[in-house]
Amino acid sequence: MERRKLTKEDIDKVRNIEGFPIGTDEDIIALSDAPFYTACPNPFIEDFIKEYGTPYDEATDDYHREPFAADVSEGKSDPIYNVHSYHTKVPHKAIMRYILHYTNPGDIVYDGFCGSGMTGVAAQLCNDRKIVASISSSLDNLDSNVGNRKAVLNDLSPAATFTALNYNYPVNVQELEISWNRILKKCEIELGWLYSTNHTDNQEGQTSLDFGNQKGTINYSIWSDVMICPVCGKSFVFWDVAVDEKKGKVREKIFCPSCKAELAKKDCEKAQNSYVDDVTGEIVSVAKQVPVLINYTYNGHKYDKKPDKDDFETVAAIDAKHDFEWYPTDQMMHIGEKWGDSYRSGYHAGITRVHQFFTKRNLIVLGFILNEANKENDDIRHCIMSAMKSSFSYGTRMIKVNVGRILNGGGLFAMGAVSGTLYIPSLMAERNILDAVDNKIKSIVKLYSSVNLKGEVLINTGSSNNVKNIPPDSIDYIFTDPPFGDNLNYSELNFIWEAWQKVFTNNKQEAIMNKSQHKGVSEYQALMTECFSENFRILKPGRWMTVEFHNSKNNVWNAIQ
């Protein structure tokens, strides 16, 4: 199949299919890469299956496989697994074992809850004899089993299917490097001051003046809540009171620096910071945080320092900056306050919009990168956007800090994104987002310079309970990893990135348990039944489906069974 431009006429053919995402036609077209990926139900699936599939013929069909019965254990350290981030992923080598057992080269594999698209990667890498041999040394007829499988991938979330696109359709790495280096250099010239700090050697007792006011580049900053003592009403910086920097740990007991009262964190209110939002014009009041530690690089060496007067002036200058490129300010879940099951008033008071989960410094840089990426061709633009998305694991304000490790030289290994929820910790790490995206681009270049993916995968964005654009009896094997009840609220967790894409999950048919969506175990069971019914309809008779599932609750297990 040859690439083509998705049109409004194409979209009209699938507009009424359940799960059609929330977004304008223009934004859906901009995010798509037709015919292989559309950020809506894909109108080209039938063409893909006709070109690559084999029609089912009951009279001549001689397919037979015994159940796959072997222990499967794969780690998550493989470079492919880590190059693009998503909430949950099954390692591609684990999926390959099932595909190799249940299919023949050229067969079409389907995943109705594809997430990051690892089933597509696994199907394609069945063509790599070296990888196949490494994971299936006992496989009978190795040579006859090695061969590329095709894949049809589906997910309700445009964030998921966009990740699947970038996993399964590698970019030209030479073109990527040229384009990214242009953007990187321009960003450093125009916005490098955002991550500039005075050099000081704390161990030697020297200041920036001793070095001729030399400047270092910030790697990350640690920010702390400002708390209010419930006894005297005075404010204090939580880091200053709670963190023992000499011992590298958080104190079990804290004392108000003003009245000396012994305090518990839970008894202290968070000080508020009120301001007028640059873009929305709204008066916003959120928990006040201040920088307390800066890690930076100077002359090839890394240093830690407490913020100085110039650092606070830089933060003030950033807050006062009004000329910046677009970034999303959408109300969370299109609601604003109390947006969903992930909302917690103690963490999210005043946080009603997407951009409030970022520091303004990182927002400005991300907006600049996206604006420059939009000047490139679609392949490069999509890849850079995916690198931005993956950098969010270090790029939002939802980065927690391991105090002991951070004070003992742990660096980036001492911080990480909160998992499976949305909240801003009292001690938060702000990563240099330009450096994070640069590292992600380098990882992409390194990986796809050595991994050969042909991209014979078609990606559909829509509900798994209605894939009527897929013909019946057309799929040779299904491997799927459905939502685990209420373990993860995907539409909430994906909303921040989908705001950058401008195309959002339509969660009416989201197969999860979620109080905000009024979905309990019975609603989850009904939706999953519809999804499995569709799987049965499109799967060729006598073929196999593998369901990967984990939940510790009996009622969820009973529902899925």
Side-chain angles (χ1 to χ4, degrees), residues 49-307:
I49 291 175
K50 283 182 180 178
E51 180 166 339
Y52 294 114
T54 302
Y56 173 71
D57 183 352
E58 182 179 4
T60 60
D61 185 67
D62 60 354
Y63 176 87
H64 177 76
R65 292 291 192 281
E66 293 297 321
F68 182 83
D71 291 333
V72 175
S73 177
E74 289 291 344
K76 299 179 179 181
S77 59
D78 191 286
I80 294 178
Y81 186 89
N82 293 304
V83 72
H84 297 292
S85 63
Y86 198 66
H87 313 292
T88 57
K89 281 185 282 186
V90 180
H92 66 283
K93 290 182 180 178
I95 305 173
M96 286 177 67
R97 296 174 188 268
Y98 292 92
I99 294 176
L100 289 165
H101 176 80
Y102 285 119
T103 69
N104 299 313
D107 281 354
I108 296 180
V109 179
Y110 173 73
D111 186 347
F113 299 95
C114 73
S116 62
M118 296 303 282
T119 297
V121 173
Q124 294 187 72
L125 289 181
C126 287
N127 194 45
D128 190 312
R129 194 180 194 283
K130 183 177 180 181
I131 296 177
V132 172
S134 70
I135 65 174
S136 302
S137 57
S138 61
L139 187 69
D140 293 335
N141 303 317
L142 176 64
D143 290 333
S144 63
N145 274 280
V146 172
N148 189 36
R149 276 72 167 171
K150 314 302 188 289
V152 173
L153 307 178
N154 174 79
D155 204 283
L156 187 66
S157 166
T161 56
F162 183 74
T163 304
L165 165 70
N166 285 279
Y167 250 125
N168 286 278
Y169 284 88
V171 72
N172 182 306
V173 293
Q174 289 79 21
E175 291 181 8
L176 175 62
E177 284 186 299
I178 292 171
S179 298
W180 173 246
N181 286 334
R182 175 192 70 79
I183 295 172
L184 179 63
K185 184 176 181 180
K186 186 174 181 180
C187 191
E188 288 175 338
I189 292 172
E190 297 189 20
L191 298 176
W193 64 274
L194 298 176
Y195 300 112
S196 179
T197 188
N198 295 326
H199 173 55
T200 176
D201 190 333
N202 293 323
Q203 292 182 344
E204 300 294 332
Q206 295 170 302
T207 68
S208 58
L209 297 176
D210 299 312
F211 295 91
N213 201 30
Q214 295 296 315
K215 296 288 187 179
T217 300
I218 295 174
N219 301 313
Y220 59 83
S221 301
I222 307 299
W223 292 66
S224 170
D225 276 349
V226 178
M227 313 295 285
I228 297 176
C229 174
V231 178
C232 69
K234 298 290 182 65
S235 64
F236 59 88
V237 177
F238 180 67
W239 173 282
D240 294 343
V241 172
V243 175
D244 187 331
E245 296 191 29
K246 291 183 178 179
K247 294 183 179 180
K249 65 178 184 179
V250 177
R251 297 184 177 95
E252 294 183 5
K253 296 181 179 181
I254 62 174
F255 297 88
C256 173
S258 297
C259 69
K260 311 305 179 186
E262 183 177 338
L263 305 173
K265 180 187 173 185
K266 63 182 178 63
D267 296 327
C268 301
E269 292 185 9
K270 296 183 179 183
Q272 298 295 299
N273 178 35
S274 297
Y275 62 94
V276 177
D277 189 276
D278 286 319
V279 180
T280 67
E282 298 171 341
I283 298 176
V284 179
S285 183
V286 295
K288 182 178 182 180
Q289 291 189 319
V290 295
V292 293
L293 181 72
I294 292 175
N295 178 274
Y296 67 97
T297 297
Y298 172 76
N299 198 26
H301 298 282
K302 292 183 179 180
Y303 299 85
D304 288 333
K305 59 175 278 191
K306 291 184 180 296

Side-chain angles (χ1 to χ4, degrees), residues 523-560:
E523 287 79 12
Y524 170 72
Q525 178 177 329
L527 285 165
M528 288 305 307
T529 299
E530 293 175 5
C531 294
F532 286 161
S533 296
E534 277 292 80
N535 287 334
F536 182 78
R537 181 185 66 82
I538 65 177
L539 189 63
K540 291 178 181 177
R543 268 39 175 205
W544 285 87
M545 171 178 172
T546 301
V547 181
E548 196 267 347
F549 194 80
H550 171 77
N551 193 293
S552 59
K553 298 177 181 178
N554 286 337
N555 63 341
V556 177
W557 267 106
N558 292 334
I560 201 75

